[in-house]
Amino acid sequence: METSQSISLAQNLYCAEQLQRSEARAGELAGYSLGQLMSLAGRSVFEELERIVSVGASIAICCGEGNNGGDGYIVARLAHQAGYKVSLYALNAKAELKQTSHEPAVQARRACRELGLEERPLTDCTANDYDLIVDAVFGIGLSRPVEGALAEWVRALNKSRVPVLAIDVPTGINADSGCIMGEAIVAQVTVTMIAYKRGLFTGASPGHVGRIVLADLGAGKYFERLEQPAWRRVTENPYSWLGDRVAHSHKGTHGHVLIVGAGPGMPGAAILAMVAALRAGAGKVSVACHPSNVGIIASQQPEAMVHGVEAPEQLNHLLNAATSLVVGPGLGRDEWGYKIYQACMAVNTCKVIDADGLYWLAQDPVHSSQLILTPHPGEAARLLKCNTRDIEANRFEHALSLHNQYHAQIVLKGAGSLISSTRGNWLIDRGSPAMASGGMGDCLAGLIGALVAQGLAPAQALTAGVYWHAVAGEVAGSKAPRGTLASDLMPIIRKLVNGWIPE
């Protein structure tokens, strides 16, 4: 992501309604009319265009009817005057313009016509004829699914693989939720105006927006004063929360994590959580598992303590000794798993609940700020008694619902993970497609449990854990994303919790 703006502007995320309500006023406070603001927007997009293709390149500029289209017409004029080969396409080609209209978008369109730039129907644009496509069709104004001939055009454009420069938000992406509305353009670069729209960073959006450039148009700081963001991005390394270790510390100083899971035949998840907790700096790590798994788990990491637990009462001394619990990795959905889950939930120790722990929580709910829940969309759907499609259609709303319903610290995992916690609502737009493999969630649960054990508050541990887990995934998968394993993250996590910042 690129921005030259303040930390707060880089962090703050807004919904479309806020931009529509206050962007003109922010421009006024900055000393600009709406027309001048549109000219600045067009200029910002044109400057990005110049970085992508050289003068003389063939460019198709595709414009809608609103202000987003107005930005596109300004780009078309600037590109034409600079010597680019410009073809202009419009959603409503050759529409009659009122000569008395002073709307900036109409004036920008009229200026293009006066230069002899002929408008053709949008769906006549054949992407392969051009070096670059500029998408100025809908922006934040999209209110209905992209269907019919327009959807066919979007599919053909994406299939062509011609680079696309999107203005504000790629056509077909919901600016508030990040979901696809029918069909959506895949852009290589998105230049977004004044402030970040929250939907650019989560859901399906990360696969469509490409590199994001924030053009605040000189109005961003004024917009911040007018509108409060409900969500913020995590943009700074949270190492200061942990800090350096004191010279006289010992293993007891840094907490005791108890991993509870590994039902019959399922040792792997608990092993990954165990190793992550050790590498993240927990002073001591124990595993409570089904007796059949003791040997295999103990053989994986001699530094951990592994206990076979046949019945819930055998957990008591382990639960009393633990600083934090990680409940669920490989726990199972049988009677043994449920009884072990119940025993864990009966103590007041801070708990990270993942995997089968979330399954049992949905059946037998508990509400506490001492719970840290780490669901993926399918698990979130079970917790909220809906379906996965509902979750992905509005990830922000459902992350808040999980927090409010369970009174817990929540991360809704996925591209653009969402954290709803007592520290506020945060989005982490780090991570990599390399992380699309089994065991990543177990690694995250162990990492968070270790951070709690070392003294971070539950909401802090969740935020730091999700951030470092995502960065570790980026580093592990940077050169060879396919085949990246959760265990590949372990040495990187060790470096991150010691203050390392990747270049």
Side-chain angles (χ1 to χ4, degrees):
M1 307 301 174
E2 292 188 357
T3 178
S4 59
Q5 314 305 326
S6 67
I7 289 295
S8 61
L9 193 58
Q11 287 181 322
N12 293 347
L13 301 173
Y14 298 93
C15 64
E17 181 183 1
Q18 291 176 295
L19 270 296
Q20 291 164 339
R21 181 169 60 223
S22 297
E23 63 182 350
R25 178 57 182 155
E28 289 176 10
L29 293 172
Y32 302 122
S33 67
L34 190 57
Q36 290 171 321
L37 209 59
M38 185 174 287
S39 293
L40 289 169
R43 172 66 65 178
S44 296
V45 176
F46 175 67
E47 289 172 355
E48 193 59 38
L49 182 153
E50 290 182 298
R51 296 185 183 100
I52 300 170
V53 289
S54 302
V55 172
S58 184
I59 300 167
I61 300 181
C62 304
C63 298
E65 292 290 288
N67 289 339
N68 197 253
D71 297 342
Y73 287 114
I74 290 171
V75 176
R77 175 175 57 79
L78 294 172
H80 175 76
Q81 291 171 337
Y84 289 91
K85 299 171 185 175
V86 176
S87 297
L88 197 54
Y89 295 89
L91 196 60
N92 185 13
K94 300 180 181 178
E96 184 177 345
L97 305 182
K98 294 181 180 179
Q99 294 299 316
T100 57
S101 176
H102 296 291
E103 293 181 14
V106 174
Q107 292 177 327
R109 190 171 188 176
R110 185 181 297 119
C112 284
R113 291 185 179 183
E114 290 171 355
L115 286 172
L117 292 172
E118 179 186 358
E119 296 174 10
R120 286 177 277 175
L122 180 64
T123 52
D124 286 355
C125 175
T126 304
N128 288 324
D129 294 339
Y130 301 98
D131 301 308
L132 178 72
I133 308 293
V134 176
D135 169 21
V137 181
F138 290 119
I140 65 173
L142 184 63
S143 58
R144 63 184 186 279
V146 175
E147 298 173 330
L150 186 57
E152 292 178 14
W153 172 72
V154 170
R155 286 192 289 268
L157 191 156
N158 289 341
K159 189 176 180 180
S160 75
R161 299 187 181 276
V162 173
V164 176
L165 171 57
I167 299 180
D168 229 8
V169 179
T171 288
I173 291 293
N174 186 294
D176 287 344
S177 69
C179 70
I180 296 173
M181 299 182 69
E183 295 286 343
I185 284 176
V186 176
Q188 279 61 54
V189 182
T190 298
V191 180
T192 199
M193 307 304 168
I194 300 182
Y196 284 126
K197 290 77 189 171
R198 69 186 198 183
L200 292 172
F201 297 95
T202 194
S205 186
H208 289 259
V209 298
R211 179 169 54 89
I212 300 176
V213 178
L214 175 61
D216 85 332
L217 312 182
K221 64 181 180 181
Y222 300 101
F223 183 81
E224 284 185 291
R225 298 173 190 173
L226 296 170
E227 296 287 350
Q228 286 294 314
W231 291 83
R232 291 181 170 89
R233 296 165 63 218
V234 177
T235 59
E236 294 183 313
N237 191 311
Y239 178 70
S240 61
W241 298 347
L242 271 181
D244 298 333
R245 289 189 167 182
V246 297
H248 61 279
S249 65
H250 52 82
K251 65 182 180 182
T253 311
H254 304 296
H256 187 171
V257 180
L258 175 62
I259 314 288
V260 183
M266 297 186 291
I271 291 170
L272 288 168
M274 170 187 76
V275 176
L278 286 164
R279 289 302 185 186
K284 294 184 283 186
V285 176
S286 294
V287 177
C289 64
H290 192 272
S292 61
N293 288 322
V294 169
I296 188 170
I297 296 175
S299 69
Q300 298 302 304
Q301 199 72 47
E303 294 84 355
M305 298 167 283
V306 186
H307 306 267
V309 177
E310 190 79 58
E313 54 270 19
Q314 294 175 290
L315 267 177
N316 291 339
H317 72 287
L318 298 172
L319 292 172
N320 291 333
T323 313
S324 66
L325 306 181
V326 177
V327 182
L331 181 64
R333 301 180 183 181
D334 57 9
E335 185 179 1
W336 178 87
Y338 180 55
K339 288 181 177 179
I340 295 298
Y341 164 83
Q342 286 182 308
C344 292
M345 302 309 281
V347 299
N348 197 37
T349 310
C350 181
K351 306 169 196 65
V352 182
I353 311 294
D354 187 45
D356 290 331
L358 294 172
Y359 172 84
W360 290 120
L361 182 66
Q363 316 302 314
D364 190 3
V366 175
H367 311 93
S368 171
S369 61
Q370 289 292 97
L371 294 182
I372 299 173
L373 310 185
T374 60
H376 58 56
E379 292 165 335
R382 185 181 293 114
L383 289 167
L384 291 174
K385 306 295 190 290
C386 60
N387 60 57
T388 304
R389 185 177 298 178
D390 294 331
I391 300 294
E392 292 293 64
N394 197 329
R395 288 169 55 81
F396 294 96
E397 176 186 320
H398 289 102
L400 289 172
S401 294
L402 284 166
H403 175 60
N404 292 333
Q405 183 168 323
Y406 288 90
H407 306 158
Q409 320 301 323
I410 302 292
V411 58
L412 177 55
K413 296 185 291 194
S417 290
L418 302 179
I419 292 171
S420 185
S421 73
T422 50
R423 288 187 67 249
N425 302 316
W426 298 88
L427 182 148
I428 295 178
D429 58 313
R430 304 296 298 265
S432 164
M435 301 173 77
S437 64
M440 290 290 175
D442 305 307
C443 173
L444 174 62
L447 167 57
I448 296 169
L451 297 178
V452 172
Q454 291 173 83
L456 294 191
Q460 284 184 310
L462 176 59
T463 304
V466 173
Y467 181 86
W468 280 328
H469 181 257
V471 173
E474 288 178 3
V475 175
S478 60
K479 295 182 179 178
R482 288 185 176 87
T484 300
L485 303 179
S487 54
D488 295 333
L489 275 60
M490 304 302 179
I492 304 166
I493 286 170
R494 182 186 178 191
K495 295 167 69 175
L496 290 169
V497 299
N498 283 286
W500 177 67
I501 299 175
E503 296 181 0

